[in-house]
Amino acid sequence: MQAKYLDVIDLFLKLLSFESITPDDAGSLAYIRSYLEEYEEIWINEGGVKNLFLYKKFGEGDHLCFAGHVDVVPPGKGWQTDPFTPVIKEGKIYARGAQDMKGGVAAFVQTLRDAKSFNGTLSLLLTSDEEGEATYGTQIMLKHLEEIGMLPDYCIVAEPTCEEHFGDAIKIGRRGSINGYLTIKGRQGHAAYPEKALNPVHKIAPLLVRLAGVNLDEGDDNFAPSQMVITDIRGGMEVTNVTPGELKIMFNVRNSTKTTQEDIQHHIEKVLEGLEYTLKLTQGSYPFVTDRASKVVEMIDHSIERVTGIKPKLSTAGGTSDARFMGAYGIDVVEFGVINDTIHAPNERTSIDEIKDLYRVFSDLVNRFS
C-alpha cells in the first residue's frame, strides 16, 4: 500500500505542473489517457474545450463513474512560490489546483489504474471547461454518452467538499442560481417639487422589507430556505436636486428544489402590485439532490467512515459544480474531496495525508461497491 501512496502523490505533483488555465488542458488529459492505457477512450472536443471519457468494463453490473475537471482559475497575485511548480512544505503541497481539483483527480485516476476487478464498468469523465462557462464541457460529453447508451448509473465528482476535517462532509446536491433584474419605473423631476415627480425610490422603500433577505420557501432536510439576496440598487444621476426616473435592483436566489423562477415572479407580482416595473429572470444552474438512501451515498459514507473514523454530514451548501449536469440526466451523483479552504486563493494548498486518504476512500469504495 505504501507504494500506491507514492504513486498517487507522484501523479498529483505531475498534474499540478500542467498550466491548465480554463479552457486549456495544457496536455494533462493526454497524460491521464496514457496513464490509464488499459481503458477505452472517447474524446469530445468542441469550442476549444477538450473532454475525455475513459471506461473499462469488468462485468455486467453497475456503471460507476468518477468525474471532475483539470482546468484551474488564473493564479493571480500574492503567491510565495511558482503556482505551477508544486512545492512541498511541512506536509502540504502548494500549487494552483491543489484543492480545486487536481487532488481529487489524482486520487480517482490512481484508483482506476489500481482497480483489478469490479462487478460492472468503471469510468472517468474529465473536462477542461468547468471554471468557465462550462458550455462545451461535461454536459457535451453526457449528451454523447446518452446517445450511445453509456450514461453511468452512479457518479462521484471529486470536488473539495470537506470543511474543517477531511471526511466531515459529502455533497448530495446543489442549489440552483437564479439572477433577477428588476426596474421600478418612475417620473424624473426636480427635488424641490416632489409632487410633480414620481420617485421610484420612495415607492419601493416601504416594500423592500418584503423583498430583501426574504425566504421564499421553508427549506427541508436537504436544503436551507431559498432566500432573495439583493446585490445591487441604483438610480438617479448622482446629483441632489433631481429625482430618479427609474430604480434598478439586482438580486440572486440560490434556490432549492422547492422554489422556481415562476415562484419568484409571483412573489414579486404580489409585492409590487400597483407599481410599474419590468422583471427579467435568468437561471445559470438548476437545483438537484440525490436520495440519501441511494447506493452511492451509502457506500461512500461507509468508506469515509472506515478510512477516517468520521461520520460525514450530507450537505447541499456552496455554489455550483458539474454535478448539476449529472443530476439533470437522472444519475445518482455525490461530491467528495479534500478540505475546501484555499481554493482560488493565492498559495492554494492541500496536505499529502488528505490525498493519500482520498485515494484510500475511493479504493475502498471501488473494492466494496459490488
Side-chain angles (χ1 to χ4, degrees), residues 240-252:
T240 60
N241 60 350
V242 181
T243 62
E246 63 180 24
L247 180 72
K248 295 183 178 180
I249 299 175
M250 298 172 67
F251 63 87
N252 177 263

Side-chain angles (χ1 to χ4, degrees), residues 299-311:
M299 293 295 287
I300 197 165
D301 179 283
H302 294 159
S303 290
I304 293 167
E305 191 168 11
R306 281 162 59 93
V307 170
T308 69
I310 296 174
K311 182 72 172 177

